[in-house]
Amino acid sequence: MWQLVKNAKIYTPEPVDDTDVLIVGGKIAALGKGLSLPSYAEGSVVDVQGAVLTPSFMDAHVHICGGGGEAGPASRTSEIQLSHLTRAGTTTVVGCLGTDSVSRSMAELLIKARALETEGLTTYIYSGGYQVPPKTLFPTLRQDLALIDKVIGAGEIAISDHRSAQPQIAELEHLCAEARVGGMLGGKAGIVHLHLGEGKHGLEPVRTILNQTEIPITQFMPTHINRTYPLLEEGVEFLTAGGHIDLTAGCDDFPRDLQVPAVLKLLYDRQVLNDRVTVTSDGNGSMPQYNEAGQLVGMGVGDVSVLWRDVRESIISYGLPLEVGLRTITANVARVLSLQRTGMIRKGYEANLAVLDEDYQVHHVWAKGKLMVRAKEALVRGTYEQPPMPPGSAVTG
Ligand SMILES: [Zn+2]
């Protein structure tokens, strides 16, 4: 089926004069002004009446098969459901394991990624978890990257954290070499997605590896860089030296100037907010909840919708240009992870699109050309998101 989205204010993420996007076979077939469906085509036209049309969002760090577990068995979180992602505007997701690679497995992560793909999204995974050496599907990380399509890197490997495996530099170097060569063999980024804790060593292990090996700085994608002030400063240095940095949204318990909206503005003002900066939600992991006095009052589940919530906030409240904010969760993610023909509105690219309302809230969402969310309502639901059917009502024959 052909679809034509008309009268949009298009951000590719760059603002352009074109207003219409033609979708055919899940791809963007044309971009222009005054487009119409050919008479022989069966299709539909959506007139968005001047609303913003952007690439839908890419979230490179989500605990899709659940996370948590750090406060005991009862603190494990559940699997994510399709519409949690689509209603947040996210249609491409990279799944990861975290602290718990005992009750969680790579097999579970891979199967969950395949389930979300079947339900309509684009999914990838990192091989490993906090632990070093990483738990992999094949005996080596190199094999996972070379042989399993969905594996695009290693992660989230924990360093400078009390929950990490306290890896030796030599172990980390070996892991990075495996990721690099495995990535080359598989035609992937082979990115090393590093979880940075609050530990005093910060990015020092990475600097050591860069000093004593031939591994390039672009192999790394350190995340949670906005966790502390010293780490943020190290992150800016790392970025300036040619590295990638990833910020974590939804950290509502952090000081305001370490939260994504303010940090994006800070990087922008310092003229370092380039195409190597990304934002992720760390969604679906466990999220400690604190009261105003900073006391732990309970546990919640990280919501993937904080990705756009925080980037939107940097645009609305901190004056970041729309395209600059959008890049951090679209084109930059595709670039850092070497994902082809996605993350931008361009002819031949995947039709992963979102329409924002006048308040910049996610309104319509397409994944691979399929309308998943219309006027904030999920049209497509995951297998177990259907309302249960009353007994005896199942359609047979
Ligand atoms: Zn983490």
Side-chain angles (χ1 to χ4, degrees), residues 109-129:
L109 183 63
L110 176 62
I111 292 283
K112 179 62 185 180
R114 287 193 177 143
L116 289 171
E117 185 95 34
T118 305
E119 291 173 345
L121 301 186
T122 302
T123 60
Y124 301 96
I125 59 173
Y126 301 115
S127 201

Side-chain angles (χ1 to χ4, degrees), residues 61 63 130 156 195 223-224 227 282:
H61 186 129
H63 296 279
Y130 275 19
E156 58 167 318
H195 157 109
T223 188
H224 313 322
R227 168 163 248 148
D282 199 1

Side-chain angles (χ1 to χ4, degrees), residues 311-326:
V311 174
R312 174 182 169 275
E313 181 67 15
S314 74
I315 293 159
I316 289 186
S317 301
Y318 289 80
L320 200 74
L322 179 56
E323 62 273 24
V324 175
L326 283 171

Side-chain angles (χ1 to χ4, degrees), residues 88-149:
T90 300
T91 62
T92 299
V93 69
V94 187
C96 57
L97 299 179
T99 324
D100 180 4
S101 48
V102 174
S103 81
R104 311 281 184 187
S105 70
M106 282 302 300
E108 193 183 0
L109 183 63
L110 176 62
I111 292 283
K112 179 62 185 180
R114 287 193 177 143
L116 289 171
E117 185 95 34
T118 305
E119 291 173 345
L121 301 186
T122 302
T123 60
Y124 301 96
I125 59 173
Y126 301 115
S127 201
Y130 275 19
Q131 234 176 300
V132 179
K135 287 258 181 96
T136 49
L137 281 154
F138 280 101
T140 67
L141 181 58
R142 182 183 301 230
Q143 286 169 303
D144 277 14
L145 273 155
L147 301 174
I148 304 168
D149 291 351

